[in-house]
Each structure stands twice: as structure tokens, then as C-alpha cells.
Amino acid sequence: MPESFVITMDGPAASGKSSIARVLARRLGALYVNTGNMYRAVTLAALEAGLDPADKPALRAWLPSLPLRYPIHEGQVQVELGGRVLSSEELNSDAVNGAVSLVASEPAVREQLVTAQRGMTALGHLVMEGRDIGSVVFPQSPHKFYIDASAEVRAQRRRAQGQDDQVGRRDQLDSTRKTSPLVVPEGASVIDNNHLTLEQAVQAVAQLLRAQGLSVPEGDNP
Ligand code: DC
């Protein structure tokens, strides 16, 4: 089997990177990894444990006892907390949306999750999306993308999903934190996703991947 590849997909909240990454992974037969869900799982667990997400020493002391596992289901890496697979509703609750940037700014949290993310290469080809995947987790990958969209388009996307997610506030926190802030990774191709349909965005990425030597099958339904 050829060596496994990692396609990295970074960008601000609600830029459309999850949908693009999911479709691409399916077409490539690669595993889809949503690393935002890993930071969300730690946040949910901290809130359930009654921790104040701003209390960093308490967060650091509690972290090693966190029972996180990453089982694969239908081509996607899931997040399991103490034997319970976390649902999208739990991971995207308003409480988690409000606290996740704070939890993700703690270096000890990032260290633990980045180690797990790097270990996932043993599972096969990956399409991994997040904020620091091309800059920190897999900077050596030749297949790096940054999916961008304006603050208005992104806020509109979240509202259409029925979520009250302060994307602007989260982006500000995610872009200005000291450890692994959101940046356009060196060597990444930037996709302007303001006016593209999902299929157009997938095609734009697929075309660049083909130019990089990867074989990407056409798909008839996203
Ligand atoms: O992708 P998302 O919006 O579900 O991510 C939730 C939060 O997790 C986001 O506000 C910042 C953090 N995050 C991160 O710091 N690094 C990543 N690789 C992915 C997400």
C-alpha cells in the first residue's frame, strides 16, 4: 500500500471546510477527521465536570483523567467520552460554543489532542480539518488548504443551521491566542468560499490535488 497521505483543511468557523472535507474524504476513500469536535469534547467534559473553563490550573490537573477515545464509524473518526459517543447536538450546544475557544487556548489541551491527531496516520489516508492542521499538526504535508469566507457569510451559515454561534468572537479568540493561532499555513492553497456551491468548492480542491499528483475520483452526489 502506498504511504498514507494527509490533506489538511484549515479556516475560520463556518467557512464550509467541514462539508468540503467530508465529501472529499468520501471520494478519496480517506478518513474524515473533524478536530474541532475533539476540542469541543474536552470542553463538554470540562463543563460536565463542573470546571470553570477559565481556570487553567484546574483544567490542567483534570486533563490526564479524561477518558477520550476515537473510534471510526462510516469513514469518520468519532469522539467517545467514557464509552459514550458524543452527538453533534451535544458538541455544538450554545454552552460549548461559548467556552470552546477558551479551552482550546490551553497549551496542555492542545498538546494532548495534537498527539492523538498525529497518531491517526496509522489508520490510513486522512482528510483532517481544523485551525492548525497545516501549520502545526502536519506542516510537512504537501496537500494543504485554507478555506475562507467573509464574517457575514459565515454568520449567515450558522444561523441557517439554527445555531447561535458568535463566530466573530470565536475567530478573534482563535486568531489571537498565543499557542497555534489560526493562520494561513505556509504553502497552503487558499479557497475563497464566499460564492461557491459545495460541489464547486470540492472541485476546486480536487483540481489542485490532481495537480499535486493525487488521483481524485469524480463523484456524482456530494
Ligand atoms: O471547527 P469548530 O468551529 O468546530 O472548532 C471549535 C473550536 O475549537 C474553535 O473555536 C477553535 C478550536 N479548534 C482549535 O483550536 N484547533 C483546531 N485544530 C480545531 C478547532
Side-chain angles (χ1 to χ4, degrees), residues 2 25 27 46 56 58 61 69 71 89 97 104 130 156-157 176 183 185 192:
R27 287 191 193 166
K56 297 298 178 65
R69 287 185 59 247
E89 288 71 31
N97 280 337
Q156 171 59 31
R157 245 180 222 144
T176 55
V183 289
D192 174 351

Side-chain angles (χ1 to χ4, degrees), residues 12-13 101 154 166-177 181-182:
S101 288
R154 294 183 293 108
Q166 309 274 315
V167 286
R169 186 176 158 275
R170 274 208 293 133
D171 292 338
Q172 158 78 13
L173 293 169
D174 296 339
S175 305
T176 55
R177 69 178 174 226
L182 170 67

